[in-house]
Amino acid sequence: MKRFWILFLILAAASACGRSETLSDSESLILGDNWQLSRAGSTEQWQASVPSTVAGSLFAAGYYGDDLLEGKRYAEVDKSIFDEVWTYKTDLAVKPAAGQHYELVFDGLGYRADIFLGGKQIASSDTTFGVFRRWAYDVTPLLGRGKTLEVRLRRAQPGDLNIGFVDWNPRPLDESMGIVRPVTLHATGAVSIEDVFVIPDLEVPSLAKADLTVNVTLRNKESVPVEGTVELDLQGVGKCSMPVSLEAGATTKVTLTPAEAPLLHLDNPRVWWSYDLGTPELYQLNARVAVAGAVSDAKAVTFGVRKIESRLIGQNYRQFTLNGKDILIKGAGWTDDIFLLDTPESMAQQVQYVKDMNLNLIRFENIWGKDDTIYDLCDREGVLALVGWSCQWEWQDYCGLPETDSYGCINGPEVEDLAVAYFHDQVVRLHNHAAIIGWMTGSDRIPNPAVEQRYQEIYQAEEYRPYICSAKSMQSSISGWSGTKMEGPYEYVAPDYWYFDTQAGGAFGFNTETGIGANLPQKESLQRMIPADALWPVSDSWGYHCTASASAMNSMEVLNETLTAQYGAATDLDDFVRKGHAVDYDGTRAMFESFRVKMPNTTGIVQWMLNSAWPSIYWQLYDYYGVPTAGYYGTKKACEPDQLIFNYKDRKVYAVSERPEARELTATLQVYDGLSRLIGTEKRAVKTAYRSVAPVFDLRRYDGRPHFVALKLMDKDGNVVADNFYCLAAKNNTYDWKQTNWFITPITSFSDLRFAFAQKPAEVEMTVTPQDGAYAVTLVNKSQVVAYMNILKAVDEKGNLVVPAYWSDNFFALVPGETKTVICRTNKAEASFRLNE
């Protein structure tokens, strides 16, 4: 089934600017709508919007029908049509006024382009290639009424540095051929503003003062010297100006500091924080250049005043600080839609999901995004971002170029020049975004020294935040240790793994990507992606929707083995899904919990992945259709600002806090045996502070028998601040540590958790009370057995899951006699609710 494509077309048509006869100096025309798409040798044409890919445009137009992403149909599609040249064409009727200059800007082309305006070629595919390049052309003499803009594209070939989905899912049908980022026509006078870069220097820890350095890059488009004035307007603060002189055709960087412009010194600045630590305050700076008293060009940038630093601690673990505070990175890895069909609305929903899970960062391995929307959202919402290059270019199987040990595939003059040009264009593109905390120039490898030296020269001129040579634990002769690790796992490990492992992905250092493999979608999503006749028993159609890896993680074998060993063999689809959710919830929760319990020896944990490029079973906290997985709610529970967390190694419960304010709370413990009989209770006073970790309860006396553990933190008024629940086996899992590899540590003996689902069915009563823009859903366990994993669903009038639906808690247990009320926020005016269906 298609996702969001109708909305995509509506938005593209509604938001794009119409064609204008004349633009004022400093005005831009976004060429977003009214494109025609055609294939060489064919008379067929399709309506297209930009940015887009060719395959995405065909998909949105219904060319492939409604079931392209179901079952194995994607594998059967004829991709040969993308071996041809495809042309995007639009009319452009703009007439320059005297003294004006017009620049046509392409922010991303996939992959090789011949560009024509009014029949005249302005770019050739032998030089105009590379998806992360920014191309700008002076088209002033070519403009006028009745002109047509044509962009003829050829797809990327093996050896090209293209957008990379690696083995996360099947490759895009067209290798992401298209105009993948915006096209803009920009008008200026004699002088243009090429870039405005704001560098804040915040005084820490007082936060009482900040100095701004503003670099304004100007270009004289005339063949004679020009005198002008640079004007800055810092919103809510003040204005300043200074004269400038530019030689004929020259590009000049004008630097302003508080010495030249006192308004750039801020007392008591509005400080940008990640949402979990404060308010993400933003400033806007409007820059103008005037010539002969008239505005020649203008550019507005949004930025944040904050201090982002990192240092190496302990065993070369990279510790990030924000405004003088050490922070534990808790994030997940982003991917764009396989056809680049994300919309502003779909991206906004996903950023809200990140915040709802109590995560504080998104890792962008591939400089994702058709435009800056996702980074703008991170800025406004206070979600940190870590950006960098993809491992797509580090493995010959994916890149198509030979690998060099440690350095990947970017070796040799031509490909190195392209990578360096990419780096410059993308660093400049992103350097004002408040949310970005640093760049990773390698993923599984490091850049070769010659390339990295060139990266460093660009970075020192155009950035100021931490530079990291690799996502893996590697040492560069240019930039030193990465301070990170990337040793897996990517396949299932049990909750106790994170506490016992000391060599690979366990709870120490900064793990830049890891996870437990399958994050099983909810049943309704599975029914959309797997044909009905292949749903049960589990078939190879399921395997096709795992990963595209040739070596592992490409079947349901591990998940099936795990849930069978832990909970008992599934009897039907419902039983399989329910047990799969239990595997996901506990495994994903423990990963995040362990890194919190082990602070400060832990500095970062990034779930692989956050989302999915297509309907998938692996590596996702919410699925392709926008539906949260069980792992989503396990993550949300693990990352509550104040939480009680069970340590599988020392068998103690810890009070962990990352809330900025200190608190005095009460912790309670209830322990039930495998037959749901209460066998222990405790209550303790707890004092928490930022990044505090303190033992509260010792559960070792319950070892050797299966038991349930119910934990609560309450404030002085008896309100529940956080709760947590564990199903604990009589013994831990047994691992074959010597057989640990890049994706898994094998389990030779699984913990027996069958008692969790062996209880007789609990009688749980549900009532729903509508509230203002939300629903209060109350569950009462009216039986004498633990009601394990209660799954709540909001559905529309057709019985489909409502998306988005933000639950305050879900997939939770109820002890005998317990009553719990949770809140569901949704945009749906009317919804009905299901429990365990």
Side-chain angles (χ1 to χ4, degrees), residues 495-496 499-500 589-590 646-651 726 728 732:
D496 51 11
Y499 294 90
F500 283 95
R589 176 182 60 172
F646 175 69
N647 181 322
Y648 282 82
K649 186 173 184 179
D650 68 13
R651 315 300 288 180
Y726 294 89
L728 301 179
N732 284 321

Side-chain angles (χ1 to χ4, degrees), residues 799-814:
N800 299 317
L801 293 180
V802 172
V803 176
Y806 301 96
W807 290 92
S808 61
D809 199 2
N810 208 336
F811 289 71
F812 56 84
L814 294 170

Side-chain angles (χ1 to χ4, degrees), residues 270-273 278-283 303-306 379-380 434:
R270 294 184 290 107
V271 176
W272 188 95
W273 287 97
T279 303
E281 297 281 1
L282 292 170
Y283 286 84
F303 67 95
V305 174
R306 75 281 177 271
D379 292 344
R380 292 198 303 269

Side-chain angles (χ1 to χ4, degrees), residues 135-153:
W135 304 97
Y137 306 98
D138 186 343
V139 294
T140 309
L142 301 179
L143 292 173
R145 297 180 180 178
K147 296 298 179 78
T148 297
L149 174 63
E150 290 185 54
V151 182
R152 302 174 187 173
L153 293 164

Side-chain angles (χ1 to χ4, degrees), residues 734-752:
T734 303
Y735 294 87
D736 188 350
W737 299 107
K738 293 182 179 180
Q739 296 302 313
T740 295
N741 57 36
W742 67 272
F743 66 92
I744 196 171
T745 297
I747 299 175
T748 57
S749 176
F750 285 86
S751 295
D752 186 350

Side-chain angles (χ1 to χ4, degrees), residues 108-355:
L109 294 167
Y111 184 82
R112 296 180 181 271
D114 293 289
I115 305 173
F116 300 80
L117 180 57
K120 181 174 178 61
Q121 187 165 9
I122 61 174
S124 172
S125 58
D126 58 354
T127 56
T128 308
F129 59 86
V131 71
F132 294 119
R133 287 299 314 273
R134 181 180 187 271
W135 304 97
Y137 306 98
D138 186 343
V139 294
T140 309
L142 301 179
L143 292 173
R145 297 180 180 178
K147 296 298 179 78
T148 297
L149 174 63
E150 290 185 54
V151 182
R152 302 174 187 173
L153 293 164
R154 294 175 176 83
R155 71 170 180 85
Q157 301 293 326
D160 290 334
L161 300 187
N162 194 24
I163 290 173
F165 291 87
V166 200
D167 57 5
W168 314 335
N169 49 255
R171 298 178 78 113
L173 299 173
D174 60 353
E175 299 295 333
S176 301
M177 174 168 55
I179 304 177
V180 297
R181 287 197 173 139
V183 180
T184 307
L185 184 67
H186 184 67
T188 73
V191 179
S192 64
I193 297 178
E194 300 296 294
D195 184 52
V196 178
F197 177 28
V198 183
I199 305 171
D201 184 12
L202 176 65
E203 182 179 271
V204 295
S206 72
L207 312 184
K209 300 176 182 179
D211 287 335
L212 308 178
T213 298
V214 179
N215 292 326
V216 182
T217 303
L218 305 174
R219 179 154 62 99
N220 180 5
K221 297 187 172 183
E222 300 288 346
S223 58
V224 296
V226 172
E227 302 286 330
T229 304
V230 171
E231 304 170 354
L232 300 183
D233 180 355
L234 185 55
Q235 204 168 55
V237 178
K239 302 179 181 180
C240 70
S241 63
M242 68 176 294
V244 293
S245 299
L246 290 92
E247 296 297 322
T251 297
T252 302
K253 182 181 290 186
V254 178
T255 299
L256 294 94
T257 69
E260 294 83 22
L263 71 90
L264 299 180
H265 172 79
L266 304 176
D267 289 319
N268 300 313
R270 294 184 290 107
V271 176
W272 188 95
W273 287 97
S274 57
Y275 77 93
D276 54 326
L277 297 178
T279 303
E281 297 281 1
L282 292 170
Y283 286 84
Q284 181 168 306
L285 177 69
N286 298 309
R288 290 181 292 274
V289 59
V291 176
V295 174
S296 178
D297 200 7
K299 187 175 182 67
V301 297
T302 300
F303 67 95
V305 174
R306 75 281 177 271
K307 196 173 191 72
I308 295 168
E309 299 173 292
S310 73
R311 67 186 189 278
L312 297 182
I313 66 170
Q315 301 177 48
N316 287 325
Y317 302 155
R318 186 170 296 275
Q319 173 66 65
F320 277 91
T321 68
L322 175 61
N323 302 330
K325 285 182 177 286
D326 285 353
I327 56 175
L328 175 65
I329 297 298
K330 303 181 296 293
W334 175 278
T335 178
D336 280 3
D337 178 276
I338 193 171
F339 294 130
L340 306 190
L341 287 177
D342 294 301
T343 67
E345 284 71 15
S346 72
M347 286 184 279
Q349 174 185 310
Q350 293 180 77
V351 172
Q352 289 304 313
Y353 275 162
V354 170
K355 294 175 66 175

Side-chain angles (χ1 to χ4, degrees), residues 295 556 573 641:
V295 174
M556 298 295 293
L573 177 63

